[in-house]
Amino acid sequence: MLRFCPVLLVLMLPACGASVVIQRDAQFDVTYDDTVTSDNQTIYSYNHTVSRNKTEGVRVSVELLSESAQSPVLFVVRQKQAVLSFQVPLILRGLYQRKYQYTQVGRTLCQPPTKAEAETQFFYVDVSTLSSAGVHYQLRVSRVDSFTLQTDKKFSFNATPSQPQFFKYMFPDGVDTVIVKVNSQKNFPCSVMSIQDIQCPVYDLDNNVAFIGMYQTMTTTAAITVQRKDFPSNSFYVVVVVKTEDEACGGPLRFYPLLPDQLLDPGNRSKTLDVIVSPAINSEVYVMGMLFCLGIFLSFYLLTFLVACVENKRMNRKREGLLNADTSPAETASLLGKASVSPYEYGSFADNGSTLSSEAVTDSLASTDGNYGYMDRSLESVARSRQESLSSVEEDDYDTLVDIDSDKNIVRTKKFLCVSDLARKDKRILSKKYQIYFWNIATIAVFYALPVIQLVITYQTVVNVTGNQDICYYNFLCAHPLGALSSFNNILSNLGYVLLGLLFLLIVLQRDILHNRALERNESTALECGIPKHFGLYYAMGTALMMEGLLSACYHVCPNYTNFQFDTSFMYMIAGLCMLKLYQKRHPDINASAYSAYACLAAVIFFSVLGVVFGKGNTVFWIVFSVIHILATLLLSTQLYYMGRWRLDSGILRRMLNVIYTDCIRQCSGPMYIDRMVLLVMGNIVNWSLSAYGLIKRPNDFASYLLAIAICNLLLYFAFYIIMKLRSGERIQCLALVCILFTAVVWGFALFFFFQGLSTWQKTPAESREHNRECILLSFFDDHDIWHFLSSIAMFGSFLVLLTMDDDLDTVQRDKIYVF
């Protein structure tokens, strides 16, 4: 054992109640084995040279050798501009005021800066206790050789709850942003990585590490992007603390009897970690990322413009050829009606559009000509314009028959329906009805988006002020800050939804304008051929796509479980509007009103919120939701099968029993509407299966589960529509076919990147960071950004499919277009 000579020994009379204070010169890297009592206090004096251009770390390590000390030993380190004190055994608290005792403590001293080129500084370690019995301890003060971290050089170290570590990093010239990464091979024990300014004291214990700076909990990975502008000294400390318990990282809650003043053995909580500091991207990469994002989506504008020019030129050439042909006046008028409508000219009927006369409908129904085309007839007998204003028209004006309800039952219960049977209402009334979809969703968007923006700004402010980076679930390995935004790349990649949604609105507007012009010219194809053109739902779909981009960007300002509905609400809207548009194509008279449709979507969002808040592991909630889901599926199936010609009243059970007795018991007869029955049976199988899956598995991410239900129903109906279209002898034109194939391929790639799962709020922040990955595109965008790019393009393509899918019917009379 090393022996040393006292420099100063002060003895005071024990009878006076005084203690002995011993001051000794001490050396670095020497272990001092000593005993302390309440009657003596030892002061160890150290000196070292501090250089302005070089920072050395100094570490104090203490171990208590006495097993049952009456009182702890107090160690006080006095420096030139700082004081550090701790007791041994060290008591750290966990949840429920549980106490953990540590007899080995190691602390790194905060190094105050010096203005001189080199300066000799003294510091003192005071050791004292109130225990009357001698307490045996060991003290060692050593230099930390690798106290200053080097750029792109990995450094490994060990840490425990009572032996935290911190290191210094200085920004090199020309580097304004760095990313600090800490990794470990073990998930537990749970740790905390903190970035703190160069100042004393350094908060490096579990109970104070969150007091200052930026911090993250971690299991295997933590990463924080640090900017020079946030640290005036051009340097910062990287602090790593091992927590006393693992609950913050999703570990098990260890049960202990909670007895008063019971000290718990923490066990072995040592963890080996690696730290590396690398330069982050520079401003040039930001510019390239923004230009790339803009270039991708603006190219769709250019492509659309070129397609429109080519199509317009082709139509003009066709029109000139028809004008020069040697045809009769009646034939010329008929052919001009065909040739004057381009694929971009189809839309909703204008306010001054005309309705088919009852004679025209009768003629159409009586026609036996199965060829595509339309019958030659007088434009005057087909289009009788009404002069009153749109606001004066009521929906009851669509027919003047006294027995109108009977007429509905007669027409809509035919075994084989044509579009002309379900397009009998006044076009101006339907146009007004479907425009409400657009105005309602625009109103919803304003009232929804404003509080969302206010809330996410508050979230980001809280993160920046408190430094708690566990609030938001970013992909921290590819989260590039810009100003107050912590992950600018995730926000920028949502630009595609907004730009492509706007482009879709422009395409729809062009079709709407050109179709209105065709109506003004009383062209036969616009008046009595093709799927009835109503654009209100298309406008609503484009608006919903733009809002999806805005709200997804808001969600990614600070993604977490409390605001996840911002990212999904308009996805429900888009899925619902697409299904309504598919149904409206061949059922324009009986499609749902905007008020009932949005009320149903509001109910879906309501259940989404309830599921996120209360659905996790709640059996009662899942039973209630499954019952509601199945009942809603049955009611909707009945509504679709009978075309709305049924009533939900007190006599419903009697009528059901009557149908069962008549069709199943008295005589076994098949369903009257085979095609509809096939679709509805498949839909019920899918929905009942999804309901059973939710009840059995009870997935934590209820919002995504609900969205999966909506998407499955949309895909099922879309596939049924295409199959029935081809089965009915209709064809899909080249433009629509290209859109279908392109969209299917893009959706496939988009879903691949979506399921990469770079973060998840279903787990703790520390567990979520285990899924974080580096950027894969231009060193700026990650997998989820690519999902944003591809999904926005796929949604835009899906909208174009809906818009162009029935262009082949624009010269086919409506009494020859089947309803399915």
Side-chain angles (χ1 to χ4, degrees):
M1 182 180 298
L2 296 175
R3 301 180 61 85
F4 53 87
C5 297
V7 176
L8 177 64
L9 180 62
V10 180
L11 299 176
M12 303 191 67
L13 296 175
C16 298
S19 61
V20 178
V21 178
I22 304 174
Q23 180 170 327
R24 297 181 174 136
D25 287 336
Q27 298 178 3
F28 286 95
D29 300 316
V30 176
T31 300
Y32 295 100
D33 197 324
D34 208 343
T35 302
V36 63
T37 67
S38 58
D39 295 329
N40 69 286
Q41 176 181 352
T42 305
I43 301 176
Y44 297 88
S45 175
Y46 292 87
N47 70 83
H48 65 130
T49 301
V50 178
S51 175
R52 184 173 61 189
N53 298 325
K54 182 180 179 182
T55 303
E56 275 190 342
V58 176
R59 189 166 180 82
V60 178
S61 300
V62 176
E63 181 178 1
L64 197 65
L65 301 179
S66 299
E67 294 184 358
S68 58
Q70 298 177 357
S71 299
V73 180
L74 180 64
F75 291 83
V76 180
V77 182
R78 294 179 287 119
Q79 298 176 263
K80 181 179 179 180
Q81 298 179 15
V83 175
L84 171 66
S85 63
F86 57 90
Q87 70 176 47
V88 183
L90 181 65
I91 307 298
L92 296 176
R93 293 184 182 272
L95 292 177
Y96 312 115
Q97 300 303 314
R98 291 180 292 191
K99 300 176 182 178
Y100 297 89
Q101 176 178 274
Y102 297 89
T103 58
Q104 292 183 350
V105 179
R107 306 291 295 278
T108 303
L109 302 184
C110 177
Q111 292 298 304
T114 179
K115 296 182 180 180
E117 190 71 28
E119 177 183 356
T120 301
Q121 292 185 357
F122 290 85
F123 67 91
Y124 306 91
V125 181
D126 301 350
V127 185
S128 61
T129 184
L130 294 181
S131 176
S132 57
V135 181
H136 191 196
Y137 67 89
Q138 285 184 345
L139 170 68
R140 181 183 179 91
V141 177
S142 56
R143 292 184 173 88
V144 181
D145 296 331
S146 301
F147 183 70
T148 302
L149 299 174
Q150 303 297 318
T151 304
D152 288 329
K153 289 186 179 180
K154 182 185 294 185
F155 177 71
S156 299
F157 60 93
N158 293 320
T160 69
S162 62
Q163 297 173 317
Q165 299 272 12
F166 69 86
F167 307 94
K168 182 179 180 180
Y169 180 80
M170 299 185 64
F171 283 97
D173 294 338
V175 176
D176 295 325
T177 307
V178 295
I179 180 169
V180 182
K181 304 173 189 176
V182 177
N183 300 298
S184 176
Q185 297 299 320
K186 297 197 307 180
N187 293 69
F188 299 104
C190 179
S191 309
V192 178
M193 190 255 281
S194 173
I195 302 296
Q196 301 180 21
D197 198 3
I198 303 294
Q199 60 182 16
C200 299
V202 176
Y203 297 95
D204 60 350
L205 290 178
D206 185 18
N207 55 10
N208 63 18
V209 69
F211 286 178
I212 195 172
M214 301 178 288
Y215 63 93
Q216 294 178 358
T217 54
M218 66 166 285
T219 52
T220 59
T221 303
I224 296 180
T225 300
V226 185
Q227 301 181 77
R228 183 194 292 263
K229 66 180 181 62
D230 296 328
F231 295 93
S233 63
N234 294 329
S235 57
F236 56 85
Y237 285 136
V238 179
V239 183
V240 179
V241 178
V242 176
K243 295 183 70 66
T244 57
E245 294 177 332
D246 296 328
E247 285 74 23
C249 295
L253 180 64
R254 298 165 64 188
F255 174 78
Y256 293 103
L258 299 177
L259 300 177
D261 300 325
Q262 182 181 15
L263 297 177
L264 305 174
D265 181 15
N268 181 19
R269 295 190 63 81
S270 176
K271 191 168 187 176
T272 301
L273 305 107
D274 300 326
V275 59
I276 184 170
V277 184
S278 304
I281 62 173
N282 53 32
S283 58
E284 294 180 357
V285 180
Y286 277 86
V287 174
M288 286 297 297
M290 288 185 280
L291 291 177
F292 175 80
C293 185
L294 286 172
I296 286 180
F297 300 113
L298 291 180
S299 64
F300 281 88
Y301 281 77
L302 178 60
L303 180 62
T304 302
F305 176 75
L306 294 176
V307 171
C309 290
V310 171
E311 189 67 20
N312 185 59
K313 186 176 181 180
R314 186 178 67 85
M315 286 296 137
N316 288 336
R317 205 179 288 164
K318 187 174 181 180
R319 186 181 295 111
E320 292 174 0
L322 290 172
L323 289 174
N324 295 329
D326 184 16
T327 58
S328 65
E331 291 174 337
T332 301
S334 176
L335 291 173
L336 281 175
K338 291 182 182 180
S340 60
V341 184
S342 74
Y344 290 97
E345 292 179 53
Y346 310 133
S348 63
F349 288 97
D351 297 344
N352 60 349
S354 302
T355 59
L356 292 176
S357 65
S358 59
E359 293 84 3
V361 174
T362 305
D363 292 343
S364 297
L365 291 173
S367 175
T368 58
D369 186 5
N371 297 326
Y372 281 3
Y374 57 87
M375 298 176 64
D376 294 332
R377 66 187 63 199
S378 161
L379 293 179
E380 287 78 14
S381 66
V382 173
R384 294 182 298 182
S385 178
R386 307 176 80 172
Q387 301 300 324
E388 61 269 23
S389 64
L390 178 63
S391 60
S392 68
V393 181
E394 300 296 335
E395 192 164 346
D396 294 337
D397 292 342
Y398 69 88
D399 206 333
T400 58
L401 295 175
V402 177
D403 56 346
I404 185 170
D405 290 332
S406 174
D407 181 67
K408 285 184 180 179
N409 290 326
I410 292 172
V411 172
R412 297 181 189 174
T413 56
K414 293 194 305 182
K415 187 170 185 179
F416 298 103
L417 282 171
C418 296
V419 170
S420 58
D421 297 325
L422 298 178
R424 300 161 64 88
K425 293 184 180 180
D426 192 304
K427 300 175 184 62
R428 295 170 303 156
I429 295 300
L430 292 181
S431 179
K432 180 180 177 181
K433 174 183 176 180
Y434 293 125
Q435 284 297 329
I436 295 175
Y437 273 97
F438 168 70
W439 293 114
N440 278 7
I441 201 170
T443 305
I444 293 170
V446 171
F447 282 93
Y448 194 95
L450 290 179
V452 166
I453 294 172
Q454 181 181 6
L455 182 61
V456 297
I457 291 174
T458 303
Y459 267 117
Q460 188 67 75
T461 302
V462 170
V463 172
N464 294 336
V465 171
T466 63
N468 182 6
Q469 299 206 352
D470 282 354
I471 296 176
C472 306
Y473 287 72
Y474 302 117
N475 173 21
F476 288 92
L477 292 178
C478 187
H480 305 302
L482 181 66
L485 301 174
S486 297
S487 185
F488 173 69
N489 54 298
N490 289 153
I491 297 172
L492 176 66
S493 58
N494 286 284
L495 184 63
Y497 297 104
V498 179
L499 292 180
L500 294 182
L502 178 60
L503 177 59
F504 182 73
L505 288 177
L506 295 176
I507 294 173
V508 172
L509 179 62
Q510 183 197 29
R511 287 202 168 200
D512 196 358
I513 292 172
L514 294 177
H515 181 71
N516 288 339
R517 291 176 180 172
L519 290 175
E520 292 173 359
R521 295 192 296 266
N522 289 330
E523 295 180 1
S524 299
T525 51
L527 292 169
E528 63 174 8
C529 295
I531 297 295
K533 309 299 188 295
H534 300 292
F535 282 114
L537 274 166
Y538 284 130
Y539 286 121
M541 288 162 53
T543 305
L545 184 58
M546 295 179 68
M547 284 305 303
E548 171 59 29
L550 175 62
L551 293 177
S552 178
C554 290
Y555 165 72
H556 283 90
V557 169
C558 181
N560 56 59
Y561 112 100
T562 60
N563 59 18
F564 182 64
Q565 62 153 320
F566 301 163
D567 195 31
T568 56
S569 294
F570 273 81
M571 290 185 182
Y572 304 136
M573 292 277 193
I574 291 172
L577 291 173
C578 288
M579 283 189 281
L580 285 168
K581 187 58 195 177
L582 270 176
Y583 190 76
Q584 182 210 53
K585 280 176 171 288
R586 307 201 183 217
H587 308 78
D589 285 0
I590 61 175
N591 203 27
S593 68
Y595 305 113
S596 58
Y598 288 130
C600 292
L601 292 172
V604 171
I605 295 174
F606 173 75
F607 274 105
S608 173
V609 174
L610 288 181
V612 170
V613 177
F614 303 109
K616 190 174 183 180
N618 191 331
T619 305
V620 175
F621 170 83
W622 281 98
I623 292 175
V624 172
F625 173 78
S626 298
V627 171
I628 294 175
H629 182 198
I630 291 173
L631 289 177
T633 302
L634 290 175
L635 289 174
L636 182 61
S637 299
T638 307
Q639 178 75 9
L640 295 178
Y641 185 77
Y642 289 106
M643 294 285 187
R645 309 317 299 159
W646 70 289
R647 295 188 309 276
L648 182 62
D649 53 21
S650 58
I652 184 68
L653 292 177
R654 177 177 55 82
R655 294 194 297 272
M656 287 175 59
L657 292 174
N658 189 25
V659 170
I660 293 174
Y661 173 75
T662 303
D663 295 345
C664 298
I665 299 177
R666 186 174 179 180
Q667 62 178 5
C668 185
S669 60
M672 183 174 181
Y673 314 111
I674 300 293
D675 296 333
R676 267 181 269 169
M677 179 58 71
V678 171
L679 169 65
L680 295 175
V681 168
M682 292 178 60
N684 277 269
I685 292 174
V686 169
N687 281 276
W688 286 42
S689 300
L690 290 171
S691 183
Y693 172 82
L695 190 59
I696 296 171
K697 295 294 184 178
R698 284 174 282 184
N700 293 330
D701 190 355
F702 181 80
S704 296
Y705 166 76
L706 201 58
L707 184 61
I709 293 176
I711 292 175
C712 286
N713 281 276
L714 174 60
L715 292 177
L716 176 64
Y717 189 23
F718 199 91
F720 173 82
Y721 190 95
I722 293 179
I723 291 172
M724 291 302 300
K725 180 178 176 66
L726 297 175
R727 184 168 172 261
S728 301
E730 300 171 10
R731 60 190 179 86
I732 299 176
Q733 289 188 341
C734 180
L735 180 59
L737 184 61
V738 170
C739 289
I740 291 173
L741 296 177
F742 172 77
T743 302
V745 171
V746 175
W747 268 124
F749 283 104
L751 291 174
F752 170 79
F753 286 102
F754 175 76
F755 287 114
Q756 295 305 303
L758 303 184
S759 63
T760 172
W761 49 260
Q762 302 172 56
K763 301 180 180 179
T764 64
E767 291 174 314
S768 173
R769 276 186 280 274
E770 294 177 10
H771 303 281
N772 289 179
R773 279 197 288 241
E774 302 281 353
C775 304
I776 62 170
L777 180 62
L778 301 177
S779 301
F780 191 77
F781 298 111
D782 60 15
D783 298 74
H784 197 71
D785 294 320
I786 298 177
W787 150 255
H788 287 161
F789 292 149
L790 296 179
S791 63
S792 61
I793 295 171
M795 285 185 185
F796 174 71
S798 301
F799 290 0
L800 289 182
V801 171
L802 281 174
L803 187 64
T804 61
M805 186 166 51
D806 289 316
D807 285 354
D808 61 303
L809 303 177
D810 287 324
T811 56
V812 181
Q813 284 187 326
R814 288 171 190 162
D815 61 335
K816 295 181 176 62
I817 302 175
Y818 292 107
V819 172
F820 41 79

